[in-house]
Amino acid sequence: MTAVKNAWRGLRKPVFVPASIVIFGLIAFAVIYSGTAADAFQSLNNAITDGVGWWYILSATGFVVFALYCAISRIGNIRLGRDDEQPEFGMMSWFAMLFSAGMGIGLVFYGVAEPLSHYVDPPVAGRVAGSTDAAANQAMELTMFHWGLHAWAIYVVVGLGLAYMTYRKGRPLSIRWLLEPLLGRARIEGKIGHAIDVVAIVGTLFGVATSLGFGVQQITAGLDYLGWVETDNWLVIAIIVIVTGMATFSVVSGVTKGLKWLSNINMILAAALALFVLVLGPTLFLLQSWVQNLGGYVQALPELMLRTSPFADDGWAGAWTIFYWGWWMSWAPFVGMFIARISRGRTIREFVFGVLLAPTLVGSLWFTIFGNSGILRQRNEGTMLDASGAVDTNTSLFTLLDGLPLGTISSVLAIVVIVFFFVTSADSGSIVIDILATGGNLETSKITRVYWTFLSGAAAAVLLLVGGSGSLTALQTVAIATAVPFSIIMVLACLSMLKAFRYEVAAAPRYLRISTTNSSVDVPQPSSKRLRDLNISSSFAGLTPSQSGITTDPSDSHMFVAVHEVPQHAVNIDPDTGVVDISADSRAVDPLGGEVFDTPEFADSAEGHLQNATNSE
């Protein structure tokens, strides 16, 4: 009882209670209307696709532009931590963890099925006939589009914002603080901030539930394909109970003891499965395909990234692109928080390029191995489709493995990989949700972690059971529906972060090295015209190494001068005296207002160290 009371005291009630009510309400709604749930989910899916599909496509592409702008501009020099702080993890270890963040049930579930589906039934907007060479190339371009830069740019928005606000500005590790530069601290700590975290929790839980649903579908389909069981509702419930129990055990054991060894085993098994298909399959063909797939993706990206298909009525965009963007957005707090926690000490430029490129390359290799293998098998043997001539998303992986040596063993390995992904997703998801529900506290109660793990499994079970034959549609619909409000938060987060970044860039000095042959500097005073050309506000005449902002070693023949850029419109030069006057209105205003927090995170952040240095002076 004491543990329960302590867990309750640690929660942020204005977030935990509304989030729980919304989640239970959505689950209850699905149960009450279970008789017509399949039709209801399809109708809702159509309504969302028609109503906000364009918004998802536009915002996802906007996130790519935001990420690249932050990396290429001077913003990329900002360090996610103190200025003298080095990355916590080496480059190779960091890439490996980014890879683990990108791996999930979805890659296993869609590894064969998605490229094969696009090959057999390509989108109308693509103007390519199915089951042709052109369809095969387009299938891989579309798959990499869905799992490439756009997916990871969505994660960059949340991960970059969390890393910046927590490790540089000392804010708690919570979604609400991404909007502080835009809304101010008072609103963020009030009802608006609570609402932001509630939206993040609901979206994350149903995003995780969607992944768990995919995993259960594929596990049951695999066991049925091997002839070991017959799929029914009781089997679905049993698998969810067993795997959720494993996730609960992992949650109780703690991150370092549970999640760490699960993730390591996961990566080894997934790599073994991919290597198995690569070596025993058409190896040379797959290596050639990988190079071409990368080139095709780069070439097709400009045309695909804003395609909304307004004249097409095949529903392809809603079933694939719009679903993916919604699914990624619902997962953004989960993956974003993970990559933020492993990226402390890196510059924004390193963060963006690493997060965008490393998982995209790994994902392209994964889909090449499984997707091109499935397409080639269908072209040569025609054995990858079901009796109705369609792609069975649940069993396509096992159909591919069955055609390779040791098919039964590799199918069992695939099921084990899915189980471990299931456990890892439920475990990690519950921890992230718990952090949000406690206001950013990294040390959360085991009781509340178990609560969120149970709730994720229950949501997945309900969606699968009430969805019936349309369970895939139910999972897709709930993912894109719960991501609608969070997509708005993400767009506002981009504007908020840009406001904070621009202030930091404006306030940060640039350093000039000036050569000299003696201890004093004799630099001719520039004319007014020359001052305008240089866009600097002071003459170097009369400066000495002892003055503020100038550093030098007496033994050196150079010194450094700290220079702050001033906008052209803010500089006024007297034509007679040459005196420079700078408008006070031109000074950059800190959108975070120099706020101070009495927390360990703030004390260890760049902002906390700056405040301490200022107070000590």
Side-chain angles (χ1 to χ4, degrees), residues 477-509:
T477 303
V478 75
I480 63 174
T482 54
V484 171
F486 193 67
S487 67
I488 299 174
I489 292 174
M490 289 185 64
V491 171
L492 293 177
C494 290
L495 300 176
S496 180
M497 288 298 99
L498 286 176
K499 190 174 182 181
F501 293 156
R502 285 171 178 166
Y503 166 76
E504 184 145 350
V505 168

Side-chain angles (χ1 to χ4, degrees), residues 146-371:
H146 291 149
W147 294 81
L149 297 180
H150 278 66
W152 285 95
I154 291 172
Y155 298 149
V156 163
V157 171
V158 177
L160 176 59
L162 288 174
Y164 176 80
M165 293 300 293
T166 300
Y167 301 133
R168 189 153 185 90
K169 296 301 180 180
R171 273 43 174 180
L173 193 64
S174 189
I175 301 298
R176 67 172 67 197
W177 295 102
L178 302 187
L179 271 65
E180 184 192 356
L182 197 65
L183 302 179
R185 180 174 177 177
R187 292 188 179 93
I188 290 302
E189 291 184 328
K191 293 181 180 179
I192 294 178
H194 299 332
I196 292 171
D197 281 347
V198 168
V199 169
I201 288 175
V202 174
T204 301
L205 186 134
F206 281 104
V208 172
T210 300
S211 296
L212 301 187
F214 288 156
V216 172
Q217 281 186 312
Q218 203 164 30
I219 292 171
T220 56
L223 295 174
D224 194 340
Y225 188 87
L226 294 172
W228 295 355
V229 296
E230 291 186 4
T231 302
D232 57 20
N233 288 342
W234 288 110
L235 178 64
V236 171
I237 294 174
I239 290 177
I240 290 179
V241 170
I242 292 171
V243 183
T244 304
M246 295 173 62
T248 302
F249 174 78
S250 176
V251 162
V252 171
S253 67
V255 177
T256 55
K257 293 181 180 179
L259 184 58
K260 184 176 181 179
W261 68 264
L262 276 178
S263 299
N264 292 337
I265 294 176
N266 224 4
M267 293 304 100
I268 294 172
L269 294 179
L273 182 63
L275 189 62
F276 173 85
V277 176
L278 176 63
V279 173
L280 297 183
T283 307
L284 182 59
F285 166 79
L286 294 178
L287 294 177
Q288 292 173 334
S289 298
W290 183 49
V291 176
Q292 178 167 308
N293 292 342
L294 289 174
Y297 169 57
V298 172
Q299 184 178 9
L301 185 60
E303 192 271 332
L304 291 175
M305 63 184 184
L306 291 176
R307 180 192 285 181
T308 57
S309 308
F311 297 107
D313 57 0
D314 56 348
W316 186 92
W320 293 103
T321 304
I322 295 172
F323 156 66
Y324 273 128
W325 295 172
W327 192 20
W328 301 154
M329 289 179 197
S330 66
W331 266 69
F334 170 28
V335 180
M337 190 173 293
F338 174 78
I339 61 178
R341 292 182 67 180
I342 66 173
S343 301
R344 178 166 190 161
R346 299 205 173 274
T347 64
I348 289 179
R349 183 170 294 110
E350 290 175 328
F351 178 93
V352 171
F353 284 134
V355 174
L356 285 183
L357 298 181
T360 297
L361 289 174
V362 173
S364 69
L365 185 58
W366 177 275
F367 279 106
T368 295
I369 292 173
F370 290 94

